[in-house]
Every structure is written in structure tokens, then in C-alpha cells.
Amino acid sequence: MDSPTHIAFAESLYLLILTPSGVQLSWRGAIVTAFVSLLPDIDLPTSWLGRIFFFISEPIERTFGHRTITHSLLFTLAITACIYAAEKATFVYPHTTSLFLMAYVSHILLDTCTIQGAKMFYPISSRDCVFPYDPRSPYSYRMKSGSKADTILFFFFVVLLIPLYFFASNGFERLIRITQKTPQAALRDYYQLSTSHIVFADIDALNTLTHERINGRFELVGIRDPNTLLFSSGTNLYTLGEN
């Protein structure tokens, strides 16, 4: 796979798997994920990292070849253990171990979808691991790095990042509340956000006294009771609850 595809896939997993499990959504986490998703290809001098760290990539390629030692599960576990020790010693950014393992493995998994595959069990076995595998047609359903299919896959992951970012930044519970669009959902949002934010709500309601339609964005200013919010129109104060 091309490097952009590896980055987009790893960032998708970061948003889809790690942020719901407690890893903070941040630019630092996204940068760590992007960098690590390219790291296995340091064994290839023509790769993005290989050109920068040629003094590392060239000896690795001469000694082991491409998609061998840096794409193996044993190497992955060994370097993850080192990252874990550094994290416990507070030398690195919190959650680096989770980010590293997810991004590194994501690269290897994508490479198994290529025609060449990856030697995941190196040095125990030099067999190329591929997925999916059809013994009647070994190259079916797999793609070549830099091909049209690779490009399509890259754009798929990029488009997928948009809803995943929305999901990760708002959280599952708040996503449900946004979908519900009820006074109870707004009340729970106010409980959650009012301690650190000025909270506004898009309201489309009926004034039960004047039968006037109230529509627009208003500031939520308080709670009258467990089922009723107070919001301000600038000059007037209203209550918001179920009819």
C-alpha cells in the first residue's frame, strides 16, 4: 500500500477504536499515529521514512529485505514492550503504547492485502501472509501498491474520517442526544457541558401561553427542575420541557 493509505487507515482506527476506549482525541495522538503507521516501511530506502532515515533503512534492506523483520509480529511485540516500559517511566506521551501498537499493526494488516503480502512470522517462517487468500487464485481480491484500487481505498478512508471524527469528538452518548433532539437530551447536554462552557441550543418550540412559535439558537441559563430547562432570548426568560 502507498504511505497515504496507511496513514488514513491508521487514523480511522484511532478514531473508531482507541478514542471510545479512553485514549484522548488530540493532534499529538494523530501525529503519533501517522508517524508509526509509516514505521514498518523503514526497511525500504524508497519509502517516505526510508528516504529520511536512509542510514537505517539501507542496512535493514540489505540484511533482511523488505517486509520481513519490521513487518513481523515478534519485532512488533518487542518494540511495543520497549515503548510500554518508556511510557511507565513517564518518558513518553500517555497512551503511546496503545497508539503505537494499533498504528504499527494496522500497517502490517494492510500489507497482507497486497499481492506480495508480509512475512508476519519472520524469522520463524519466511512464508508471505496474505488476506484474503483463495488457493484456486492466489492473487484474487488483493491489490498492488500504487494501483487504482489502492487510490480508491485511500479516498474511502479519508471520507470515513469525517463521520469518525464527529463520533470521536462528541462521544457515543452525545451523538445519541444530538440525534434525539428532545428537551431531555438538551437537559443532559446542559448537565454535562455547563460547568465549563456557555451552552446554546437550537430550539423550535411553541409558547404555551401565547401560542407563539419560538425558533432559533438560544442560551441555556439554568434548570428549573429535573425535567425543565431555562433559556434566554436576550430580553425574556423561557422554560423548555415536554408538553
Side-chain angles (χ1 to χ4, degrees), residues 36 39-40 68-84 97-109 118-123:
V36 176
L39 196 55
T68 56
I69 187 68
T70 62
H71 287 65
S72 72
L73 296 181
L74 285 176
F75 181 83
T76 303
L77 292 175
I79 195 169
T80 300
C82 294
I83 297 294
Y84 177 77
T97 304
S98 301
L99 290 167
F100 179 90
L101 182 60
M102 179 275 302
Y104 203 94
V105 171
S106 74
H107 180 112
I108 298 173
L109 291 178
K119 293 178 172 60
M120 294 178 63
F121 299 102
Y122 186 89

Side-chain angles (χ1 to χ4, degrees), residues 9-25 28-30 32-34 36-37 76-77 79-88 92-107:
F9 180 53
E11 297 292 357
S12 298
L13 295 182
Y14 170 45
L15 296 175
L16 180 64
I17 298 175
L18 292 189
T19 54
S21 65
V23 177
Q24 183 180 7
L25 177 62
R28 186 182 297 182
V32 170
T33 299
V36 176
S37 71
T76 303
L77 292 175
I79 195 169
T80 300
C82 294
I83 297 294
Y84 177 77
E87 183 178 332
K88 288 301 180 182
V92 297
Y93 173 66
H95 302 300
T96 298
T97 304
S98 301
L99 290 167
F100 179 90
L101 182 60
M102 179 275 302
Y104 203 94
V105 171
S106 74
H107 180 112

Side-chain angles (χ1 to χ4, degrees), residues 183-188 190-191 220-231 237-243:
Q184 283 72 23
L187 189 69
R188 291 192 292 271
Y190 182 78
Y191 272 122
L220 303 182
V221 296
I223 299 172
R224 193 184 71 175
D225 58 57
N227 297 306
T228 309
L229 276 166
L230 298 174
F231 69 93
L237 195 64
Y238 297 95
T239 59
L240 175 67
E242 290 285 2
N243 290 333

